[in-house]
PDB file of all heavy atoms in Angstrom:
ATOM      1  N   GLY A 489       0.755 -10.848  57.403  1.00 97.00           N
ATOM      2  CA  GLY A 489       1.412 -10.159  56.336  1.00 97.00           C
ATOM      3  C   GLY A 489       1.089 -10.729  54.970  1.00 97.00           C
ATOM      4  O   GLY A 489       1.967 -10.916  54.148  1.00 97.00           O
ATOM      5  N   VAL A 490      -0.208 -10.988  54.711  1.00 97.00           N
ATOM      6  CA  VAL A 490      -0.579 -11.708  53.488  1.00 97.00           C
ATOM      7  C   VAL A 490      -0.934 -10.749  52.348  1.00 97.00           C
ATOM      8  O   VAL A 490      -0.761 -11.089  51.176  1.00 97.00           O
ATOM      9  CB  VAL A 490      -1.723 -12.682  53.759  1.00 97.00           C
ATOM     10  CG1 VAL A 490      -2.233 -13.332  52.466  1.00 97.00           C
ATOM     11  CG2 VAL A 490      -1.268 -13.772  54.733  1.00 97.00           C
ATOM     12  N   LEU A 491      -1.482  -9.554  52.642  1.00 98.00           N
ATOM     13  CA  LEU A 491      -2.098  -8.760  51.570  1.00 98.00           C
ATOM     14  C   LEU A 491      -1.304  -7.503  51.261  1.00 98.00           C
ATOM     15  O   LEU A 491      -0.812  -6.830  52.167  1.00 98.00           O
ATOM     16  CB  LEU A 491      -3.521  -8.403  51.983  1.00 98.00           C
ATOM     17  CG  LEU A 491      -4.418  -9.604  52.242  1.00 98.00           C
ATOM     18  CD1 LEU A 491      -5.582  -9.195  53.142  1.00 98.00           C
ATOM     19  CD2 LEU A 491      -4.936 -10.175  50.975  1.00 98.00           C
ATOM     20  N   ARG A 492      -1.196  -7.168  49.995  1.00 97.00           N
ATOM     21  CA  ARG A 492      -0.503  -5.951  49.581  1.00 97.00           C
ATOM     22  C   ARG A 492      -1.220  -5.300  48.419  1.00 97.00           C
ATOM     23  O   ARG A 492      -1.492  -5.952  47.409  1.00 97.00           O
ATOM     24  CB  ARG A 492       0.938  -6.207  49.258  1.00 97.00           C
ATOM     25  CG  ARG A 492       1.703  -4.995  48.838  1.00 97.00           C
ATOM     26  CD  ARG A 492       3.217  -5.186  48.888  1.00 97.00           C
ATOM     27  NE  ARG A 492       3.830  -3.853  48.961  1.00 97.00           N
ATOM     28  CZ  ARG A 492       4.077  -3.113  47.853  1.00 97.00           C
ATOM     29  NH1 ARG A 492       3.873  -3.600  46.681  1.00 97.00           N
ATOM     30  NH2 ARG A 492       4.547  -1.910  48.004  1.00 97.00           N
ATOM     31  N   LEU A 493      -1.513  -4.001  48.557  1.00 98.00           N
ATOM     32  CA  LEU A 493      -2.127  -3.246  47.436  1.00 98.00           C
ATOM     33  C   LEU A 493      -0.975  -2.976  46.409  1.00 98.00           C
ATOM     34  O   LEU A 493       0.074  -2.501  46.828  1.00 98.00           O
ATOM     35  CB  LEU A 493      -2.684  -1.947  47.945  1.00 98.00           C
ATOM     36  CG  LEU A 493      -4.075  -2.001  48.587  1.00 98.00           C
ATOM     37  CD1 LEU A 493      -4.113  -2.948  49.756  1.00 98.00           C
ATOM     38  CD2 LEU A 493      -4.583  -0.663  49.012  1.00 98.00           C
ATOM     39  N   GLU A 494      -1.286  -3.271  45.173  1.00 95.00           N
ATOM     40  CA  GLU A 494      -0.155  -3.293  44.213  1.00 95.00           C
ATOM     41  C   GLU A 494      -0.667  -2.934  42.849  1.00 95.00           C
ATOM     42  O   GLU A 494      -1.792  -3.189  42.487  1.00 95.00           O
ATOM     43  CB  GLU A 494       0.426  -4.700  44.238  1.00 95.00           C
ATOM     44  CG  GLU A 494       1.863  -4.761  43.796  1.00 95.00           C
ATOM     45  CD  GLU A 494       2.574  -5.777  44.641  1.00 95.00           C
ATOM     46  OE1 GLU A 494       1.995  -6.791  45.058  1.00 95.00           O
ATOM     47  OE2 GLU A 494       3.770  -5.560  44.918  1.00 95.00           O
ATOM     48  N   GLY A 495       0.242  -2.363  42.061  1.00 94.00           N
ATOM     49  CA  GLY A 495      -0.111  -2.127  40.661  1.00 94.00           C
ATOM     50  C   GLY A 495       1.026  -2.638  39.769  1.00 94.00           C
ATOM     51  O   GLY A 495       2.194  -2.586  40.166  1.00 94.00           O
ATOM     52  N   GLY A 496       0.669  -3.149  38.619  1.00 92.00           N
ATOM     53  CA  GLY A 496       1.700  -3.640  37.719  1.00 92.00           C
ATOM     54  C   GLY A 496       1.057  -3.958  36.383  1.00 92.00           C
ATOM     55  O   GLY A 496      -0.082  -4.294  36.263  1.00 92.00           O
ATOM     56  N   SER A 497       1.879  -3.805  35.338  1.00 92.00           N
ATOM     57  CA  SER A 497       1.372  -4.037  33.969  1.00 92.00           C
ATOM     58  C   SER A 497       1.801  -5.373  33.445  1.00 92.00           C
ATOM     59  O   SER A 497       1.325  -5.840  32.419  1.00 92.00           O
ATOM     60  CB  SER A 497       1.822  -2.902  33.059  1.00 92.00           C
ATOM     61  OG  SER A 497       3.224  -2.898  33.087  1.00 92.00           O
ATOM     62  N   ALA A 498       2.744  -6.026  34.162  1.00 89.00           N
ATOM     63  CA  ALA A 498       3.386  -7.238  33.565  1.00 89.00           C
ATOM     64  C   ALA A 498       2.405  -8.360  33.318  1.00 89.00           C
ATOM     65  O   ALA A 498       2.582  -9.145  32.414  1.00 89.00           O
ATOM     66  CB  ALA A 498       4.542  -7.702  34.442  1.00 89.00           C
ATOM     67  N   ASP A 499       1.388  -8.451  34.122  1.00 85.00           N
ATOM     68  CA  ASP A 499       0.503  -9.648  34.051  1.00 85.00           C
ATOM     69  C   ASP A 499      -0.970  -9.199  33.962  1.00 85.00           C
ATOM     70  O   ASP A 499      -1.852  -9.851  34.541  1.00 85.00           O
ATOM     71  CB  ASP A 499       0.724 -10.543  35.231  1.00 85.00           C
ATOM     72  CG  ASP A 499       0.422  -9.805  36.522  1.00 85.00           C
ATOM     73  OD1 ASP A 499       0.446  -8.524  36.517  1.00 85.00           O
ATOM     74  OD2 ASP A 499       0.164 -10.445  37.525  1.00 85.00           O
ATOM     75  N   LEU A 500      -1.245  -8.115  33.265  1.00 83.00           N
ATOM     76  CA  LEU A 500      -2.591  -7.557  33.294  1.00 83.00           C
ATOM     77  C   LEU A 500      -3.655  -8.588  32.902  1.00 83.00           C
ATOM     78  O   LEU A 500      -4.709  -8.679  33.552  1.00 83.00           O
ATOM     79  CB  LEU A 500      -2.723  -6.372  32.343  1.00 83.00           C
ATOM     80  CG  LEU A 500      -2.338  -5.004  32.959  1.00 83.00           C
ATOM     81  CD1 LEU A 500      -2.739  -3.917  32.046  1.00 83.00           C
ATOM     82  CD2 LEU A 500      -3.018  -4.863  34.307  1.00 83.00           C
ATOM     83  N   SER A 501      -3.395  -9.395  31.890  1.00 78.00           N
ATOM     84  CA  SER A 501      -4.418 -10.310  31.424  1.00 78.00           C
ATOM     85  C   SER A 501      -4.582 -11.489  32.438  1.00 78.00           C
ATOM     86  O   SER A 501      -5.645 -12.135  32.403  1.00 78.00           O
ATOM     87  CB  SER A 501      -4.043 -10.838  30.081  1.00 78.00           C
ATOM     88  OG  SER A 501      -2.748 -11.440  30.140  1.00 78.00           O
ATOM     89  N   ALA A 502      -3.592 -11.710  33.247  1.00 81.00           N
ATOM     90  CA  ALA A 502      -3.689 -12.872  34.158  1.00 81.00           C
ATOM     91  C   ALA A 502      -3.890 -12.457  35.596  1.00 81.00           C
ATOM     92  O   ALA A 502      -3.715 -13.290  36.489  1.00 81.00           O
ATOM     93  CB  ALA A 502      -2.428 -13.720  33.982  1.00 81.00           C
ATOM     94  N   LYS A 503      -4.252 -11.179  35.835  1.00 81.00           N
ATOM     95  CA  LYS A 503      -4.249 -10.762  37.239  1.00 81.00           C
ATOM     96  C   LYS A 503      -5.299 -11.422  38.072  1.00 81.00           C
ATOM     97  O   LYS A 503      -5.206 -11.439  39.278  1.00 81.00           O
ATOM     98  CB  LYS A 503      -4.259  -9.249  37.332  1.00 81.00           C
ATOM     99  CG  LYS A 503      -5.523  -8.573  36.930  1.00 81.00           C
ATOM    100  CD  LYS A 503      -5.501  -7.060  37.189  1.00 81.00           C
ATOM    101  CE  LYS A 503      -6.808  -6.503  36.794  1.00 81.00           C
ATOM    102  NZ  LYS A 503      -6.961  -5.084  37.102  1.00 81.00           N
TER     103      LYS A 503
END
Side-chain angles (χ1 to χ4, degrees):
Chain A
V490 175
L491 301 158
R492 180 162 201 275
L493 279 57
E494 205 141 33
S497 58
D499 60 339
L500 273 191
S501 56
K503 69 175 182 175

